Amino acid sequence: MAARKTKKTETPQVDIGAEIFASLRDLEKIKGIPVAYMVDRLKQALTNAYRKDREDHRDLPAENVVVDLSEKGLFMYLVKTAVEEVEDSAVEIHIDAARNMNPDIQVGESVSIPVDIQKFGRIAAQTAKQVVIQGIREAERNVIYDSYSSKSQELLTGTVLRVDPTGDIFVRIGQGSEQNDAVLCAEEQIPGESYEAGDLIRVYVLEVRKANRGPLVHVSRTHPNVVRRLFELETPEIADGQVEICNISREPGSRSKISVRAAMENVDPVGACVGPRGGRVGAIVDELNGEKIDIVVWNEDPCEYVKAALSPADVLSVTLDPANPKACSVIVPDDQLSLAIGKEGQNARLAARLTGLKIDIKPASAVQ
């Protein structure tokens, strides 16, 4: 059989291309939906409408219906193959009939037969409308998804919508057309906090996933990066790169340790984070419902780093384990042992997470 190729004949034209594109450009400005995306959806809608509204009720393959939509106009073609014996009139046309439209057509070639789309019935119009509306909704969801995907790992302010009996909190984040609901699961809430509908709340965007009703945004109040983002907001020296946050260890609602270093000379990294009269760190403590925050200077010397990380306890010495470079022994004054270990081992535990070292703390009297 000869190679298939398509040859078009004159077709009825609906002179609405310019109007359609003007409307689509307005839609793009208002909702951010790309014109090209909606053109594809319109083509799909018209194709489906024709396939479902044919007099023979034959559900044609999509490739046999071609829609040409541009600012020059709107055209539709039914593609049939020229054959000597017609077995399926829906997708085939006799060679003689084909040559009445195009004398050069050969057997096996495709001919595009004009379709008068003005004859579509009510069902077809409804079908097209539904597909377009669905396309708009999908595009809006994609726009919102893209917007919140870019906000992943950021700190946002939202309004509490409701508190579920399970303990999950539903939060409205974003503004205008980009508003969306987020879920603050019970395990991502700071222990001891409670909220009611209408309360403002700061949340950290953990992840954004696609869902049927729009993006599903999971947020957190317990992630260590909540502390990081709050310091970035409160401390200009961090925002402009003079001070760097090196690491954070956190037990939400109780205590956090944060290590910082100066990226420029003559900058006090701890002082910058604490702020005048403790105002900067105080604001963060208030935001975190009274969570205590220790700020220490990062040091490339692991021994000095461990000493700083165990503050407010005084440390006499730190010795790295020669058999295990990820472990160290710490000697503290006897009266500092409980402070170094902390309540239920919290201070030592946070220091170990901050430095990445296993810390074995002993009182001075035990090594004499």
Side-chain angles (χ1 to χ4, degrees), residues 249-322:
S249 60
R250 184 184 185 199
E251 294 190 357
S254 179
R255 193 172 187 176
S256 289
K257 286 183 180 286
I258 174 173
S259 61
V260 295
R261 63 180 290 270
M264 300 177 64
E265 294 183 0
N266 302 320
V267 175
D268 176 9
V270 174
C273 294
V274 172
R277 298 182 181 179
R280 293 172 181 173
V281 71
I284 297 172
V285 169
D286 291 342
E287 173 65 34
L288 298 178
N289 198 30
E291 182 175 316
K292 295 179 181 179
I293 299 177
D294 298 333
I295 307 171
V296 304
V297 177
W298 177 87
N299 198 307
E300 62 182 355
D301 183 338
C303 294
E304 293 300 319
Y305 192 19
V306 169
K307 284 184 180 181
L310 284 170
S311 65
D314 295 328
V315 176
L316 295 176
S317 66
V318 178
T319 305
L320 294 177
D321 186 344

Side-chain angles (χ1 to χ4, degrees), residues 316-347:
L316 295 176
S317 66
V318 178
T319 305
L320 294 177
D321 186 344
N324 183 4
K326 290 296 183 180
C328 65
S329 297
V330 175
I331 307 301
V332 299
D334 287 25
D335 62 352
Q336 296 285 301
L337 181 62
S338 60
L339 186 61
I341 295 174
K343 184 179 180 180
E344 298 179 349
Q346 185 185 66
N347 193 58

Side-chain angles (χ1 to χ4, degrees), residues 26 35 52 79 120 157 178 201 212 220 231 245 249 259 327 363:
D26 289 340
V35 171
K52 293 180 180 295
V79 180
F120 281 1
T157 300
E178 293 188 359
I201 182 173
N212 292 334
S220 174
F231 270 102
I245 297 175
S249 60
S259 61

